Amino acid sequence: MRIRLCLAALSLAGGAGLATLSAPPAAAAACSDVQLVAARGTFEPGTLGFIVGDPVFSALQKKVTGKSLSSYKVNYPADLSPTSAAQGNLDLVNHVKSQAAACPNQKFVLVGYSQGANVVDNSIGISSAGAVVGSPIVATLPAAVEPKVAAVLLFGNPIRALGKSVTGTYQSRTLDICAKGDPVCENGGGDVGAHLGYRDDADAAATFAAGRM
């Protein structure tokens, strides 16, 4: 399953044939001090994502003692369809906007792995069009929500292979990890296993996020 995840992601350069997308309004969850919003990778199993989302959430629970922590799994196909990342982009933005309106004091940690990093990139205004399983931007977090985003954690980010990265408003709050040889985020990388080893970076990522709350 893990090898399929990476090889399938490599088989498609996303962004072509984008359809008109719509999504129902997101329903706000109970308020917490911090909410981790996770976009999983292509075909990734797990509650928030076996390779990244789940271990980062567990690590962050240990770092934010004295604060309540909740999570949200971005609702999108995480498959190889041309509109998959765009559907995730729309759902993430709708959810965070709804949650921020319902819980004015809540902070957010945005987490994206592989295709999920494309979802987060798009949501903060960095287009993943042309990247592996990427898409054009269909929605962005509004300026009123931006101060509520404490940290952005990206793993195996496909736009890195295009020579792009997060710049602008969110740059100082972003940790963008690309393992050496990871073919999804490193142009010319050939180590498939590198793309599947980001569980080892969960603690460092949680430390980064906790330090920015």
Side-chain angles (χ1 to χ4, degrees), residues 31-68:
C31 297
S32 60
D33 294 322
V34 182
Q35 183 172 82
L36 184 146
V37 178
R40 68 197 189 283
T42 307
F43 302 136
E44 185 185 10
T47 303
L48 300 173
F50 174 80
I51 294 171
V52 167
D54 293 341
V56 170
F57 181 77
S58 294
L60 191 57
Q61 282 182 308
K62 300 171 185 174
K63 306 288 183 183
V64 292
T65 53
K67 295 181 184 293
S68 58

Side-chain angles (χ1 to χ4, degrees), residues 55-194:
V56 170
F57 181 77
S58 294
L60 191 57
Q61 282 182 308
K62 300 171 185 174
K63 306 288 183 183
V64 292
T65 53
K67 295 181 184 293
S68 58
L69 177 66
S70 62
S71 66
Y72 176 77
K73 178 180 180 178
V74 174
N75 182 16
Y76 85 115
D79 61 17
L80 298 176
S81 61
T83 62
S84 176
Q87 290 178 64
N89 173 194
L90 188 60
D91 183 75
L92 187 154
V93 170
N94 281 349
H95 170 76
V96 172
K97 285 167 58 179
S98 174
Q99 193 70 16
C103 305
N105 296 320
Q106 191 172 66
K107 296 291 187 180
F108 297 91
V109 175
L110 308 183
V111 178
Y113 165 54
S114 196
Q115 183 176 173
N118 288 335
V119 169
V120 175
D121 290 332
N122 284 6
S123 300
I124 61 174
I126 309 295
S127 177
S128 67
V132 173
V133 287
S135 82
I137 294 170
V138 297
T140 55
L141 294 173
V145 170
E146 174 267 316
K148 300 175 184 293
V149 177
V152 178
L153 308 177
L154 305 172
F155 303 78
N157 188 357
I159 70 169
R160 294 276 297 270
L162 302 178
K164 296 175 64 177
S165 61
V166 174
T167 57
T169 303
Y170 292 93
Q171 184 175 9
S172 64
R173 284 171 274 170
T174 298
L175 179 65
D176 191 346
I177 302 174
C178 178
K180 182 174 176 57
D182 180 345
V184 173
C185 58
E186 181 182 296
N187 188 19
D191 183 0
V192 169

